Each structure stands twice: as structure tokens, then as C-alpha cells.
Amino acid sequence: MTASSRHFVLAAGGTGGHLTPAFALAHELERRGHHVALVTDQRGAAIPGKPDFLTAHVLPAGRFGKNPLRWLGGLLSVLKGRSMAKRLYETFQPSAVVGFGGYPAMPALLGARSLGIPTVIHEQNAVLGRVNRFFSGRVDAIATAYPQVDRLNRKHGGKVHLVGNPVRPGVLALRDEPFPAFTEDGLFRVLVTGGSQGARVLSAVVPDALSMLPTALRSRLQVTQQCRAEDIEAVRKRYADHDIPADLATYFEDMAATLADAHLFIGRAGASTIAELTAVGRPAILMPLPIATDDHQSANVREMVEAGGARSIRQPMSSVADLDHAGFSDRANADRKRQSDVLQKLTKDISRQIQAMAQRPETLANAAHAAWNCGRPKAASDLADLVESFGGADVQDVIRVGEREKSASATAKATATPGMGR
């Protein structure tokens, strides 16, 4: 450690969406010679990918749902967590506390506020999350992943910094690699993922959507798809019936390598997914999760779709309950006809969008370039600059969201020179 090294605390809910950018920032701060600690819940402490050097502190954090009877218990848990956070800070003495959203970040930020420790929040989605919304008027800086963030009060604009959403180093390393060659007679590699909540509907519709492609395109398919364990054999049979080669798994250990070979991505629109697609430059057909909080996934696709790097297909809310309770292979439920109609429409929509993007090689390559131009590869570095500015030097060269800065960013993207072969 150097004489200028300082201590920082990162606070995040126990999901990958909150923790992935926290881990990326931890790596960057540790590389710069700082001490970093993590405040999270039990899930976050056990999640794969946590850096070995990052000590996790589990604090109680209450949840405030729709039932008012549970609010008192949630408040007591938060207050207990705040007291524990204050004791941690008295020992660790952080220069700043950085919140990444999720209820486990709440006691950490409250503890920092009560001790006068600078606070920063990072919002991964294009809609400000509930915990970040609560703290937006109280923190010293707000870091965002998108130029436009819904539910962010305009009066806080002076402390907003557009940094992007940090991605894993292995994925970021692909940014300067060329888009994989896609020719009239070469393989057409499609990657399908959807996470624990999204894989079921994609398993239900994507195999049939691919089977509806023109023969010249369908015969070149090579599919890689993530499925739920309970669905994987049914999906395998469906692809076999369509005579489409498919590599299926419940989890892909090396997602960077899988993404590197893909010509087209089909999946949900979580913040980390969008960040990785734009970092690498992969065209996508995105189906936002309709039950996502504040419908934030629909907002996440906005920038990429407007740029021409993705197509968005809306899944009806009604189909979520049908699929979750019955499963796509069980057609004996009372709503079988309605479910079947919804799935048939989604299937046709996906097939049409695939054809529109992949019918000509240059169309897919152009979409890849548009996606690449939406990427913010310096997100981890810019966020670290912002965080380092507290307790040390002045605010570093991160992007303030304002008209002049938006214009400069747009100009830079328009003139960007992508990797070879793009």
C-alpha cells in the first residue's frame, strides 16, 4: 500500500445485478492501492465471483413490501444494520461509502450519513431503484449507467455523473476484437440466455422461432442456450425435432468465450446483460422481463434500440404466471388456449426479427457496430475516479450529465473507431 491509499466501503444487495459492478469497482480500487470492504446480505457474501481480497460484512437489512404489518420489523432490522455499519466505520475509517442499490445497501448508507462520511450511489438501470431513489437527495454524488434515468429528480442533476456500468474484465477484453465473420454460407451462431426468471419463456418460444427461418438461414444455425434444469430435456428434444444443432446448459462457466463467438444474442434486458452486449458489440433481440421492478428492463433497452443495435419484443404480463405455474410443456391447464396464443405470437415476432437482422450479413454487422458504440468501456475506471475524489483529490474527469457533455459524448461516439473488422 502507498502513502496515498485509502479505505472504501461498497454496499450492495445480494444479486448479480448489484454485485457485478461492485466487484468491478473493488478490483479497480484495489489495483490503485486502496483497501476495500463489502457490505451485503447472506446471498451477496456467498455469490460466485467475489474477489478474494474483498472482505464481506453481512448486515441485517429489512424489506419494506406492500404489507404495512411488516414495516416495523423491516425498520428495526435497518436500524440494527445501521448501528453495525457505524461500528465497522469507526474501525475501518472509510473515505467514502458507495451504494449499488438493493435493501442491504440501506443500513450502510444510513450509517455513513450519520457519521458524516461521503456517500456515492451507482444506478445500473435506466430507472432509479427504490433504495437509490430514497438516497438520491442525500448522497454526495450519483453515478449512472445511462444518459437518461427515469425517476431521477431533475433538481439532483448537478451531482449526476454518467460513468456506465462496469463489466467483467474477461468480457471487456473482447471489445477490440472484430465481430465474428458472418457470411452468406457460414455458420450462424445464436446465443440465448435469460436468467432464472427469464429462461422459461425463451425455452418455450426460441426453438420454434428458429425453426421458422428460411431454409438457407436455418440450415446454418448453431445455438447455445441456457435453460432451467427442469426444462432442459424438453428443449433438447424440441431442437432435435427441428434438426437444429444446440448446446444446452443450465449455466455457462465462461460466458466471455460464449459471447465472443455469437453473431446474435436473444435474451432479457438486465443491466449487466446490456453492459456486456454494448462493451463487446453484439446485436440483440431483447425481451424485457415484464415483472421487473418499475419495468426497468424496458427502459434499459431504450438506448441500444434507438442506436440500431437491438430489437425489443414485449412479453405480455399474463404469460408470466402461466409459464411459471404450468411450464411450457404442460398444456393441460385451464388457460391453455390463451397461453398457446401468446406463445405463438411471441414465436412469430422473434422469428421475424431474426430474419430482419440476419437476412443479409451487412445488416447484422451494422447492428453490431451500433451496439458497440453504446458501450462505455471505461466505466470501472471512471467510477473509481469519482469515488477517489472524496477524501482525496478533486472530482476527476468523469462525465457530468448536461447538455454540453451529452453533445460531446454523442460526437465522440459518432467518430469512434471500433475494433478491426467492424
Side-chain angles (χ1 to χ4, degrees):
M1 294 293 175
T2 66
S4 61
S5 67
R6 300 194 297 282
H7 294 183
F8 295 98
V9 170
L10 313 184
T15 64
H18 297 306
L19 285 164
T20 296
F23 293 163
L25 177 60
H27 277 294
E28 180 63 19
L29 290 173
E30 197 269 345
R31 186 188 67 80
R32 297 183 184 194
H34 301 302
H35 295 278
V36 191
L38 174 70
V39 169
T40 186
D41 57 10
Q42 292 287 356
R43 289 186 305 164
I47 201 167
K50 184 177 74 66
D52 293 337
F53 64 81
L54 187 62
T55 302
H57 300 268
V58 176
L59 268 60
R63 293 182 175 274
F64 300 88
K66 296 181 179 180
N67 185 356
L69 297 178
R70 304 183 63 179
W71 291 356
L72 178 59
L75 177 61
L76 292 175
S77 292
V78 169
L79 292 176
K80 181 180 179 181
R82 183 185 67 169
S83 296
M84 294 173 65
K86 289 169 68 175
R87 290 196 296 272
L88 169 65
Y89 300 157
E90 288 170 359
T91 302
F92 196 68
Q93 297 186 337
S95 294
V97 175
V98 187
F100 289 85
Y103 284 108
M106 182 172 281
L109 290 168
L110 287 172
R113 287 275 304 161
S114 66
L115 294 176
I117 300 170
T119 52
V120 179
I121 55 174
H122 178 269
E123 179 54 59
Q124 303 89 52
N125 294 297
V127 179
L128 199 64
R130 293 176 181 177
V131 171
N132 281 349
R133 204 179 307 159
F134 175 81
F135 284 103
S136 59
R138 300 168 171 83
V139 296
D140 297 280
I142 302 169
T144 66
Y146 296 92
Q148 179 182 342
V149 179
D150 299 343
R151 301 212 173 189
L152 175 58
N153 196 312
R154 280 180 153 187
K155 68 182 181 181
H156 304 319
K159 55 185 175 183
V160 173
H161 303 262
L162 174 61
V163 300
N165 197 13
V167 300
R168 293 170 285 186
V171 173
L172 190 58
L174 299 173
R175 181 163 177 83
D176 293 324
E177 297 295 321
F179 182 64
F182 180 64
T183 61
E184 296 284 359
D185 55 358
L187 285 177
F188 177 28
R189 299 187 183 90
V190 177
L191 171 61
V192 187
T193 72
S196 60
Q197 297 184 83
R200 173 153 283 164
V201 67
L202 297 173
S203 294
V205 300
V206 171
D208 290 347
L210 292 171
S211 75
M212 297 166 64
L213 295 175
T215 303
L217 197 57
R218 187 180 69 237
S219 63
R220 298 155 49 202
L221 279 168
Q222 176 62 59
V223 180
T224 300
Q225 182 164 345
Q226 173 214 2
C227 306
R228 288 186 178 186
E230 61 268 31
D231 296 338
I232 194 165
E233 291 307 318
V235 179
R236 197 185 310 279
K237 181 179 185 305
R238 186 165 291 187
Y239 275 117
D241 290 343
H242 294 315
D243 196 24
I244 296 175
D247 178 17
L248 309 180
T250 57
Y251 178 75
F252 292 104
E253 190 73 34
D254 190 353
M255 182 54 73
T258 305
L259 190 59
D261 292 333
H263 294 113
L264 178 66
F265 174 89
I266 302 175
R268 291 301 196 191
S272 294
T273 295
I274 300 291
E276 293 189 350
L277 290 172
T278 56
V280 177
R282 290 297 180 271
I285 294 173
L286 300 169
M287 188 184 296
L289 179 67
I291 60 173
T293 305
D294 298 321
D295 197 23
H296 65 258
Q297 289 199 6
S298 292
N300 288 351
V301 306
R302 186 167 50 211
E303 183 183 31
M304 197 174 173
V305 169
E306 289 176 356
R311 308 288 182 97
S312 180
I313 296 176
R314 193 163 190 86
Q315 178 188 357
M317 181 73 75
S318 61
S319 66
V320 178
D322 290 342
L323 288 167
D324 283 346
H325 289 98
F328 71 87
S329 61
D330 180 2
R331 306 294 175 139
N333 60 81
D335 295 320
R336 175 161 56 177
K337 179 64 167 63
R338 177 167 58 90
Q339 178 180 335
S340 177
D341 290 344
V342 169
L343 295 184
Q344 285 183 28
K345 184 179 185 305
L346 287 174
T347 299
K348 291 177 181 177
D349 287 347
I350 290 175
S351 187
R352 281 195 294 266
Q353 296 292 2
I354 295 172
Q355 290 185 57
M357 296 185 78
Q359 197 75 287
R360 296 189 302 275
E362 62 271 19
T363 304
L364 206 58
N366 289 340
H369 183 81
W372 188 91
N373 273 338
C374 291
R376 295 181 175 88
K378 295 178 62 180
S381 176
D382 285 347
L383 183 56
D385 286 347
L386 174 62
V387 170
E388 273 189 327
S389 70
F390 295 98
D394 292 335
V395 173
Q396 303 292 318
D397 185 24
V398 294
I399 304 172
R400 282 193 180 276
V401 178
E403 291 307 315
R404 181 172 60 82
E405 289 78 7
K406 285 182 182 178
S407 176
S409 177
T411 301
K413 284 191 174 184
T415 57
T417 302
M420 292 176 59
R422 289 190 183 278

